[in-house]
Amino acid sequence: MATPSARLAARRFFEMSVAPGRLNRTYSTSHSFAKVLRLPKRQLMKLVYPLQELEVYLDPDSRADLHLRIFDPSLEEIARAENVFAAAPKNRIEYLSSAVHLSHAPGSSRPEVCFIGRSNVGKSSLIKALFSLAPEVEIRISKTPGHTKKMNFFKVGKYFVLVDMPGYGYRAPEDFVDMVETYLKERRNLKRTFLLVDSVVGITEKDKIAIEMCEEFALPYVMVLTKIDKSSKGHLLKQILQIQKFVNTKTQGCFPQLFPVRVYQHTVHWCLAETA
């Protein structure tokens, strides 16, 4: 997302704020993020800016066929976004309800964002990481693919509602198509869909069906590449280039920026907070 000058500004901000107490006082930092800020510079940069080492190969100025913008928020933006997900008396974060059909979904005027992806893509782990600052919110994670069988709704303070969709593919619920398709097609306050793709596997045929659904309903959606810590640099670069080419040539509603994440990556908070 950021331009080269913005990335340079982010690096300069790092030099100014390696200690959590030196962040702008407007934005508090969680204990876990404070620990991240204390990491050695090289380790911190690798964690917060996971594509930094690959940027030389992703420079659009040297590749006419590539339209990729790097996900590169500043530390201050990450700290501000974390406040959205930090539970507080005036910022209640809580589970609302579950539903097997849109008619059973909770009524809400708040904007909604939903997470979809194939079974075992790491969706529940990512959502659990998002709610790590609200430990009272229970997100169940199972080693067995297809654990989520219903649409689960979570209120994120006064800002938005997050919807966890069942995984498609292996062990998907029998009424998956009716449940998810109806929600995506008819939910009026749905503002953004996050489609998770395994960075090790790449876009599968089942992912393409989900993409076609988003395209058919003219939904604005984002591709999130999960498990980037499971790929070698070369394999990750190959997958990014292939997926970006697919986004550029095969999609209309997909946000042109890919969001690579590893579990417990703090920049996910910024990504979602900015979207909502």
Side-chain angles (χ1 to χ4, degrees), residues 3-252:
T3 62
S5 60
R7 291 198 290 273
L8 178 59
R11 306 296 186 268
R12 288 175 177 170
F13 185 84
F14 166 80
E15 301 290 349
M16 298 167 56
S17 57
V18 289
R22 297 188 63 178
L23 278 171
N24 187 321
R25 292 185 180 181
T26 306
Y27 314 118
S28 62
T29 56
S30 67
H31 177 68
S32 57
F33 189 40
K35 290 174 63 177
V36 169
L37 290 175
R38 296 191 188 100
L39 292 173
K41 179 179 177 180
R42 182 181 179 84
Q43 191 175 353
L44 185 150
M45 298 302 284
K46 185 175 181 179
L47 178 66
V48 178
Y49 304 106
L51 294 186
Q52 182 187 29
E53 296 176 316
L54 300 180
E55 282 190 56
V56 64
Y57 305 105
L58 301 173
D59 183 5
D61 293 334
S62 62
R63 297 183 61 97
D65 62 329
L66 185 64
H67 303 285
L68 177 64
R69 292 183 291 175
I70 303 299
F71 178 40
D72 211 0
S74 71
L75 298 179
E76 188 170 28
E77 288 171 323
I78 296 171
R80 183 176 65 224
E82 283 215 324
N83 283 342
V84 173
F85 290 87
K90 294 184 178 181
N91 189 54
R92 292 189 62 185
I93 299 174
E94 57 188 341
Y95 163 78
L96 290 177
S97 67
S98 298
V100 295
H101 192 272
L102 182 59
S103 61
H104 303 152
S108 174
S109 59
R110 289 184 175 87
E112 286 185 356
V113 298
C114 78
F115 281 59
I116 63 174
R118 69 177 181 83
S119 299
N120 202 35
V121 74
K123 181 165 52 64
S124 295
S125 296
L126 178 56
I127 293 175
K128 185 176 180 66
L130 283 169
F131 289 134
S132 62
L133 302 181
E136 66 277 9
V137 178
E138 183 180 6
I139 305 294
R140 295 181 179 178
I141 298 177
S142 173
K143 294 182 179 180
T144 304
H147 177 74
T148 304
K149 298 297 184 183
K150 300 178 181 180
M151 298 182 289
N152 297 313
F153 294 78
F154 301 88
K155 186 179 74 169
V156 183
K158 62 183 179 182
Y159 301 100
F160 57 89
V161 172
L162 186 152
V163 186
D164 179 14
M165 291 291 193
Y168 50 78
Y170 179 69
R171 295 192 66 185
E174 293 182 1
D175 53 354
F176 173 85
V177 173
D178 180 59
M179 181 194 313
V180 176
E181 183 174 331
T182 302
Y183 173 85
L184 295 177
K185 185 177 181 179
E186 300 182 12
R187 192 65 163 178
R188 299 306 177 196
N189 52 332
L190 175 61
K191 300 301 181 183
R192 188 66 54 90
T193 298
F194 288 82
L195 197 159
L196 276 59
V197 174
D198 190 323
S199 66
V200 179
V201 179
I203 296 177
T204 67
E205 291 303 313
K206 289 183 171 61
D207 290 326
K208 291 180 181 178
I209 294 174
I211 291 169
E212 289 173 2
M213 192 181 301
C214 291
E215 292 285 331
E216 180 182 351
F217 300 149
L219 298 175
Y221 63 104
V222 174
M223 279 197 196
V224 178
L225 308 186
T226 64
K227 306 179 183 179
I228 64 170
D229 51 320
K230 303 296 184 181
S231 295
S232 65
K233 292 180 185 177
H235 183 73
L236 179 59
L237 176 62
K238 179 181 177 181
Q239 292 288 18
I240 288 174
L241 293 175
Q242 289 180 344
I243 294 172
Q244 191 64 46
K245 182 178 180 180
F246 179 90
V247 171
N248 292 344
T249 60
K250 304 294 184 181
T251 71
Q252 296 292 325

